[in-house]
């Protein structure tokens, strides 16, 4: 086993986290805006009213800016798996590569092909054909997210694969299990709908800006109404699927759920409080203070009133035998690689499910090799490895809370906004409009916190229970990592600056200055079943 | 003939939708919920906009 510098592992983690978080500043808007555009265009096709075409075109232009930069930031991440995570790619590439390949060949190509038709096909396609194209773009962008999240779910809850001692890697076993992995299902819907929330807040906030300035009032009122209703249902869906993910983590990733809840000791149902705020201390393995709501935690996580949630200390204790068994597995596997003896294979098979814990112990073994551990030092290595099974509690705990608190804020804001819009009192509520405007970046922030919770909470594993993160990286030098990290920071910061500049510029210009489709060329309004009186739109 | 073809096309869409609902609803209930939920979100937000048109048409004031 090759020794990997821990600094390189940390830098690789930092670089991937940075590029992923940068990338995910753009993704939610793409996921949600496409379906919002589809909704606006659907109304245009059904009613024939020009204003809805204006809306689809204007918000489509902002979508286009975001889409282009989002694609550019996403491509580098796929290369990072090969350059910075070569051991991971070897170990899990069979599983991880399949959904990524399908994503590229099916979803990304579909999305990229139809997005051109969507932008340039307004005058070349019939209304119905253009609407179909818009739906295909929306479907393509969300299918793209689906395959990425299927790949990610495999890392959190490996399904549809088995470890092959001949090839020393996870082998693809079942496509159906991979696609219908419960974690993939819940995570896809949670992430996709979080994108809807981001897009709804984006449209609602910019519409609020126009209303505050008294510009484009009819345009902004309709955009605001659609976004508020789009957002309130999406927020309910995000919270529902967040609950589903919590329940799955309770069953499959108990260390993550214990860290999320700052639960050092097993809970005492049903009175265990849900901690609203605390100061988790990873070094001392305790919370310095806690403010909680009694009776909430047990039903929230377990959906019962009597099931306990295992605490981190108890999880550490339970890991001891698995680490010992894992050391046996890795040692047997190493011998089998040389001898190909049935005895070694049988011993490995007996301890196979704990192999990852044996690899985790390698950090405390001489030369990161558990076969080098002297018999009288195994207990010490096991004891030293036990705390390693826990993620960073402070980060996981607070990123989760920021996400949840922000979600509750969105729920309140969308609900009030929808109510005020339905009562047609928007322009009398300046404070609400300002809150909507200033809340534009918050859903993006919430999705970033969501990813931090999911990924930091999975630690110390890249493939949960199978492959530790510190063994997953490539054996680069520190200087290489620092150099590429600086390059990424500079490049991606330029992307963000370009996105913000263009978004501010075109949002300020507003729909009347849409050079892509000058208003002089607009179709004449056509009467429809919804026209009770002719109106100026 | 066109009507017949359209009817046949719609019947095929219906059958495919039913098969999709049965299979995905059984194997991947949250995927199915996403499909239904997204359609519902689009329809409700669209209905909200159309309702605003109707409110504007029925009212003489300039409120939005």
């Amino acid at each position: 086993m090759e020794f990997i510098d821990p600094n390189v592992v940390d830098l690789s983690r930092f670089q991937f986290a940075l590029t992923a978080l940068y990338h995910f500043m753009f993704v939610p808007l793409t996921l949600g805006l496409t379906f919002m555009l589809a909704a606006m265009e659907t109304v245009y096709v059904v009613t024939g009213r020009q204003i809805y075409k204006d809306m689809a075109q204007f918000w489509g232009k902002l979508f286009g800016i975001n889409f282009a930069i989002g694609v550019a930031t996403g491509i580098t991440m796929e290369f990072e798996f090969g350059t910075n995570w070569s051991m991971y790619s070897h170990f899990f590439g069979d599983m991880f590569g399949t959904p990524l390949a399908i994503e590229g060949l099916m979803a990304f190509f579909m999305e990229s092909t139809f997005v051109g038709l969507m932008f340039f096909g307004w005058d070349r396609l019939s209304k119905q054909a253009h609407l179909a194209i818009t739906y295909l773009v929306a479907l393509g962008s969300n299918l793209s997210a689906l395959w990425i999240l299927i790949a990610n779910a495999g890392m959190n809850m490996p399904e549809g694969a088995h470890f092959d001692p001949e090839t020393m890697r996870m082998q693809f076993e079942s496509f159906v299990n991979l696609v219908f992995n419960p974690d993939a299902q819940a995570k896809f819907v949670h992430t996709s709908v979080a994108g809807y929330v981001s897009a709804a807040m984006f449209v609602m906030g910019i519409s609020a800006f126009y209303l505050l300035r008294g510009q484009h009032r009819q345009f902004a009122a309709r955009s605001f109404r659609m976004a508020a209703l789009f957002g309130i249902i999406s927020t309910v869906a995000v919270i529902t699927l967040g609950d589903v993910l919590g329940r799955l983590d309770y069953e499959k990733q108990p260390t993550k759920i214990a860290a999320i809840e700052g639960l050092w000791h097993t809970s005492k149902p049903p009175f265990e409080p849900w901690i609203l705020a605390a100061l988790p201390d990873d070094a001392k393995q305790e919370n310095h203070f806690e403010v909680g709501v009694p009776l909430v935690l047990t039903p929230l996580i377990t959906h019962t009133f009597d099931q306990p949630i295992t605490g981190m200390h108890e999880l550490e204790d339970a890991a001891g035998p698995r680490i010992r068994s894992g050391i046996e597995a890795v040692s047997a596997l190493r011998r089998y690689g040389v001898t190909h003896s049935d005895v070694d294979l049988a011993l490995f098979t007996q301890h196979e499910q704990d192999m990852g814990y044996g690899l985790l112990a390698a950090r405390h073994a001489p030369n990161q090799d558990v076969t080098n551990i002297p018999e009288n030092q195994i207990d010490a290595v096991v004891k030293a490895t036990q705390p390693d099974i826990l993620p960073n509690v402070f980060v996981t705990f607070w990123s989760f809370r920021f996400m949840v608190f922000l979600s509750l804020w969105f729920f309140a804001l969308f609900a009030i906004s929808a109510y005020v819009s339905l009562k047609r009192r928007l322009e009398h509520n300046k404070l609400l409009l300002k809150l909507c405007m200033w809340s534009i970046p918050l859903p993006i922030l919430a999705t970033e916190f969501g990813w931090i919770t999911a990924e930091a909470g999975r630690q110390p594993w890249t493939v949960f229970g199978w492959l530790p993160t510190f063994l997953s990286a490539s054996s680069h030098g520190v200087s290489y990592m620092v150099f590429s990290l600086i390059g990424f920071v500079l490049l991606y910061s330029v992307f963000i600056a370009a996105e913000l500049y263009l978004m501010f510029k075109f949002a300020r210009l507003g729909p009347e200055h849409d050079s892509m489709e000058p208003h002089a060329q607009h179709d004449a309004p056509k009467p429809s079943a919804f026209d009770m009186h002719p109106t100026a739109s | 003939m066109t009507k017949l073809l359209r009817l046949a096309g719609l019947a095929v869409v219906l059958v495919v939708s039913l098969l999709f609902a049965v299979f995905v609803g059984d194997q991947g209930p949250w995927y199915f919920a996403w499909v239904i939920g997204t359609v519902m979100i689009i329809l409700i937000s669209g209905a909200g906009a159309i309702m605003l048109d109707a409110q504007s048409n029925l009212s003489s004031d300039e409120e939005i």
Side-chain angles (χ1 to χ4, degrees):
Chain A
M1 195 171 291
E2 194 170 4
F3 182 83
I4 300 169
D5 184 349
N7 293 320
V8 171
V9 177
D10 289 342
L11 283 165
S12 299
R13 288 183 63 194
F14 188 64
Q15 187 173 108
F16 196 85
L18 200 76
T19 45
L21 292 176
Y22 263 124
H23 178 56
F24 225 77
M25 288 181 188
F26 307 100
V27 174
L29 267 189
T30 299
L31 296 180
L33 263 181
T34 47
F35 274 119
M36 283 213 72
L37 296 178
M40 290 166 185
E41 199 173 335
T42 301
V43 181
Y44 166 61
V45 171
V46 171
T47 66
R49 285 177 175 246
Q50 178 62 34
I51 194 168
Y52 295 106
K53 184 179 178 185
D54 292 345
M55 283 163 60
Q57 287 182 330
F58 172 70
W59 297 113
K61 189 195 293 181
L62 299 186
F63 158 76
I65 296 165
N66 185 70
F67 177 78
I69 300 178
V71 168
T73 57
I75 290 170
T76 50
M77 289 172 61
E78 301 213 15
F79 291 111
E80 267 183 75
F81 290 115
T83 57
N84 294 359
W85 299 98
S86 55
M87 182 57 197
Y88 162 79
S89 295
H90 166 78
F91 186 85
F92 205 57
D94 208 31
M95 285 289 291
F96 197 77
T98 305
L100 284 194
I102 298 174
E103 188 265 336
L105 291 172
M106 186 187 107
F108 183 61
F109 282 7
M110 175 178 167
E111 176 188 15
S112 305
T113 304
F114 288 117
V115 84
L117 282 171
M118 189 178 88
F119 285 126
F120 303 111
W122 283 105
D123 297 327
R124 294 173 177 81
L125 297 165
S126 68
K127 277 199 256 183
Q128 290 79 9
H130 193 277
L131 179 63
I133 295 295
T134 305
Y135 273 102
L136 285 172
V137 172
L139 192 64
S141 62
N142 280 268
L143 284 180
S144 183
L146 169 70
W147 291 108
I148 298 290
L149 290 162
I150 285 173
N152 178 266
M155 298 165 72
N156 282 282
M157 205 179 290
E159 301 245 344
H162 72 276
F163 180 77
D164 185 343
E166 302 295 337
T167 58
M168 302 286 279
R169 56 189 295 207
M170 300 292 276
Q171 297 286 130
F172 197 18
E173 199 171 51
S174 163
F175 186 72
V176 171
N177 286 354
L178 174 76
V179 172
F180 292 102
N181 181 340
D183 192 56
Q185 290 189 46
K187 196 166 274 178
F188 164 65
V189 184
H190 186 62
T191 309
S192 166
V193 181
Y196 298 0
V197 173
S198 303
M201 192 67 84
F202 178 79
V203 171
M204 201 168 80
I206 294 176
S207 303
F209 169 73
Y210 295 143
L211 291 172
L212 281 166
R213 300 178 84 177
Q215 295 175 329
H216 320 299
R217 291 174 64 251
Q218 297 299 326
F219 178 97
R222 280 158 182 77
S223 298
F224 190 101
R225 169 79 62 91
M226 289 188 78
L229 292 170
F230 203 93
I232 183 65
I233 308 170
S234 303
T235 308
V236 172
V238 165
I239 293 170
T240 305
L241 268 297
D243 175 67
V244 174
L245 278 171
R247 170 79 195 174
L248 279 171
D249 287 339
Y250 167 65
E251 289 171 357
K252 304 284 187 179
Q253 290 188 302
T255 46
K256 183 189 279 185
I257 207 72
I260 280 174
E261 300 304 347
L263 200 66
W264 293 102
H265 294 283
T266 297
S267 69
K268 297 179 182 65
F271 296 105
E272 192 74 27
W274 184 64
I275 303 172
L276 282 172
L279 200 60
D281 186 330
D282 284 273
K284 292 184 179 171
Q285 297 208 327
E286 62 183 27
N287 295 335
H288 286 306
F289 78 92
E290 290 179 5
V291 181
V293 186
L295 282 165
V296 171
L297 185 70
T298 307
L300 184 72
I301 302 297
T302 69
H303 296 184
T304 70
F305 285 100
D306 55 4
Q307 286 181 26
I309 303 157
T310 312
M312 285 178 275
H313 287 304
E314 288 75 12
L315 288 168
E316 278 181 358
D317 293 341
R322 295 201 70 180
I323 297 165
R324 198 177 294 275
S325 165
I327 292 171
E328 290 279 349
V330 174
S331 302
L333 184 64
R334 183 62 60 85
R335 285 195 301 275
Y336 177 72
V338 178
T339 63
H340 287 276
S341 127
D342 289 343
V343 177
D344 290 328
L345 182 61
L347 188 60
F348 167 72
T349 307
Q350 188 186 337
H351 296 280
E352 182 184 348
Q353 288 304 313
D354 299 319
M355 183 187 78
Y357 288 84
L359 294 172
L360 196 63
R363 184 186 286 172
H364 303 283
N367 296 322
Q368 292 193 354
D369 186 351
V370 293
T371 58
N372 290 338
I373 305 171
E375 195 65 37
N376 61 352
Q377 287 182 23
I378 285 188
D379 284 344
V381 169
V382 170
K383 200 170 173 55
T385 308
Q386 280 174 307
D388 290 355
I389 67 157
L390 300 178
N392 184 312
V393 181
F394 183 87
V395 170
T396 312
F397 178 89
W398 276 110
S399 55
F400 176 76
R401 264 146 198 78
F402 282 132
M403 177 186 70
V404 168
F405 295 151
L406 284 169
S407 302
L408 296 175
W409 166 247
F410 305 147
F411 180 79
L413 194 62
F414 280 125
I416 295 167
S417 298
Y419 175 78
V420 173
S421 172
L422 289 168
K423 299 295 270 183
R424 299 172 72 221
R425 304 289 293 168
L426 279 176
E427 287 179 314
H428 295 275
N429 287 277
K430 304 282 186 202
L431 177 63
L432 177 68
L433 294 176
K434 284 180 184 167
L435 287 174
C436 291
M437 196 177 72
W438 290 110
S439 295
I440 290 174
L442 296 184
I444 310 281
L445 204 60
T447 51
E448 300 280 15
F449 282 127
W451 273 112
I452 293 170
T453 306
E455 298 301 294
R458 194 191 59 235
Q459 298 306 315
W461 310 99
T462 44
V463 182
F464 192 82
W466 286 94
L467 183 67
T469 305
F470 78 97
L471 288 177
S472 305
S474 303
S475 51
H476 292 306
V478 170
S479 55
Y480 172 90
M481 291 306 303
V482 171
F483 177 76
S484 55
L485 184 62
I486 292 169
F488 273 124
V489 169
L490 291 176
L491 185 67
Y492 279 33
S493 298
V494 169
F495 284 148
I496 297 237
E499 160 110 353
L500 289 175
Y501 170 75
L502 291 170
M503 282 289 188
F504 274 110
K505 179 181 172 181
F506 284 100
R508 281 210 179 97
L509 284 174
E512 257 78 0
H513 297 86
D514 190 344
S515 59
M516 191 190 286
E517 187 75 12
H519 279 242
Q521 296 175 7
H522 282 167
D523 303 334
K526 292 176 183 170
S528 76
F530 299 94
D531 276 326
M532 284 166 248
H533 305 286
T535 53
S537 57
Chain B
M1 188 62 185
T2 314
K3 278 188 179 173
L4 186 66
L5 284 174
R6 189 172 290 174
L7 197 66
L10 288 171
V12 169
V13 170
L14 182 69
V15 170
V16 171
S17 301
L18 282 172
L19 287 175
F20 175 81
V22 170
F23 179 72
V24 177
D26 189 34
Q27 295 290 318
W30 288 115
Y31 291 149
F32 186 64
W34 176 78
V35 173
I36 300 296
T38 299
V39 171
M40 187 186 76
I41 290 169
I42 288 171
L43 289 178
I44 289 176
S45 71
I50 293 170
M51 185 183 166
L52 180 55
D53 287 341
Q55 287 173 317
S56 301
N57 291 340
L58 290 171
S59 168
S60 56
D61 60 38
E62 286 281 308
E63 295 286 332
I64 55 172

